[in-house]
Amino acid sequence: MDGSALVARGLTRDFRGFRAVDGVDLDVAAGAVHALVGPNGAGKTTLFNLLTGFLAPTAGRIELGGRDITGLAPERVARLGMARSFQIASLFPQQTVRAHVELALQGSTNLGWSFWRSEKPLRRFRAHAEELLDRVGLAAAADDTAGSLAYGRKRALELAIALALDPRVLLLDEPTAGMGVEDVERTVELIAAVRDGRTVVLVEHNMSVVGALADRVTVLQAGRVLAEGPYDEVRADERVIEAYLGSADAAH
Ligand code: ADP
Ligand code: MG
């Protein structure tokens, strides 16, 4: 694959008159890790929701692998090869860790997301689910309930669920948020391992994580692209330094 895996042109989203994402152009090269950074409220999560079909844009256009996906539902976007990490809120506290990944694997087949079905058909996903859990370091926790996992391990489970969809383009929204140093290091290694053969778009506040992983960085501020380029260039950009001044993020 060469060229752009994901392109946005003039992407805009209003919330009752408030423009959260404002004419964003984005070019994510195939095979790249592309970081999206910016102060809180810059519009990063809204942009993710637009790209993955969870929100409809007010204006603009999105292409995935050269195909117009503007306005498609999240399931369609996922089937076309782009998925985002699920949020912790979407985990089922009483369900086992393994069942989450089995359900995600089932969801990626044409059986669909039938959570209420009998557990029997899920068994054929067991080996694959365990392989994915092993990958994110959760093999030993397979029989635990999702609700019993510590915070960092819940994030690892989210990543396993996203990987179950085997997306060509993987979107990760703050995968290291709230993690201790060890979990951060582990997550960086994990993303470095799973990027192989994929394109990764990453919202990340921790600049050492961005520096370790990202080929390119787009800086958003107040819904607009403030700067875009290789990490070292963007980091040295006066406007970027100013946007971060006084914010805790600058310390990373
Ligand atoms: P970030 O992820 O960069 O912190 P968000 O995309 O979450 O920023 O939010 C961007 C702006 O849009 C914020 O001002 C936020 O309050 C607003 N916003 C996000 N979602 C909604 C919504 N559903 N309704 C109204 N305003 C929203
Ligand atoms: Mg956000």
Side-chain angles (χ1 to χ4, degrees), residues 44-45 173-174:
K44 305 178 297 293
T45 296
D173 195 354
E174 304 197 27

Side-chain angles (χ1 to χ4, degrees), residues 72 89 103 195 204 216 234:
L72 293 189
L103 285 162
R195 69 170 291 181
E204 181 57 62
R216 285 188 91 77
V234 165

Side-chain angles (χ1 to χ4, degrees), residues 159-240:
L159 189 52
I161 291 169
L163 286 172
L165 304 174
D166 197 22
R168 272 178 297 121
V169 181
L170 175 64
L171 275 62
L172 301 172
D173 195 354
E174 304 197 27
T176 70
M179 283 185 178
V181 181
E182 264 176 44
D183 277 340
V184 170
E185 279 172 11
R186 180 182 182 88
T187 302
V188 168
E189 280 168 24
L190 188 58
I191 295 169
V194 303
R195 69 170 291 181
D196 232 24
R198 298 178 215 281
T199 304
V200 177
V201 188
L202 176 76
V203 169
E204 181 57 62
H205 279 297
N206 184 329
M207 284 304 150
S208 64
V209 172
V210 173
L213 288 171
D215 301 302
R216 285 188 91 77
V217 181
T218 295
V219 186
L220 278 188
Q221 188 189 29
R224 294 189 179 174
V225 175
L226 178 70
E228 204 274 332
Y231 174 72
D232 288 332
E233 243 172 61
V234 165
R235 205 168 101 107
D237 190 309
E238 292 287 331
R239 294 163 307 163
V240 175

Side-chain angles (χ1 to χ4, degrees), residues 95 99 102-103 106 111-125:
Q95 278 278 17
E102 288 173 341
L103 285 162
Q106 173 177 285
L111 285 174
W113 293 87
S114 310
F115 290 99
W116 50 86
R117 283 191 191 205
S118 103
E119 290 205 356
K120 226 182 204 166
L122 285 181
R123 290 215 188 110
R124 62 197 176 95
F125 301 110

Side-chain angles (χ1 to χ4, degrees), residues 15-189:
F15 292 113
R16 283 187 229 95
F18 173 73
R19 189 149 286 187
V21 171
D22 188 2
V24 166
D25 292 335
L26 187 69
D27 288 86
V28 180
V33 174
H34 194 122
L36 210 54
V37 307
N40 280 331
K44 305 178 297 293
T45 296
T46 304
L47 181 56
F48 262 27
N49 286 333
L50 292 170
L51 293 171
T52 48
F54 284 90
L55 277 175
T58 303
R61 177 184 166 86
I62 306 157
E63 281 179 19
L64 180 66
R67 173 179 180 155
D68 188 351
I69 60 159
T70 318
L72 293 189
E75 309 82 61
R76 293 281 315 276
V77 174
R79 280 190 207 291
L80 291 170
M82 177 157 64
R84 57 177 301 169
S85 59
F86 282 59
Q87 298 303 309
I88 282 171
S90 72
L91 297 178
F92 298 91
Q94 309 299 335
Q95 278 278 17
T96 66
V97 165
R98 181 192 286 110
H100 277 83
V101 181
E102 288 173 341
L103 285 162
L105 287 166
Q106 173 177 285
S108 69
T109 69
N110 49 21
L111 285 174
W113 293 87
S114 310
F115 290 99
W116 50 86
R117 283 191 191 205
S118 103
E119 290 205 356
K120 226 182 204 166
L122 285 181
R123 290 215 188 110
R124 62 197 176 95
F125 301 110
R126 176 151 297 195
H128 191 179
E130 286 180 352
E131 189 187 308
L132 285 167
L133 287 173
D134 190 39
R135 194 137 203 221
V136 303
L138 284 176
D143 291 315
D144 297 350
T145 60
S148 72
L149 294 180
Y151 184 84
R153 316 213 99 201
K154 282 186 177 137
R155 311 291 319 222
L157 176 55
E158 285 171 25
L159 189 52
I161 291 169
L163 286 172
L165 304 174
D166 197 22
R168 272 178 297 121
V169 181
L170 175 64
L171 275 62
L172 301 172
D173 195 354
E174 304 197 27
T176 70
M179 283 185 178
V181 181
E182 264 176 44
D183 277 340
V184 170
E185 279 172 11
R186 180 182 182 88
T187 302
V188 168
E189 280 168 24

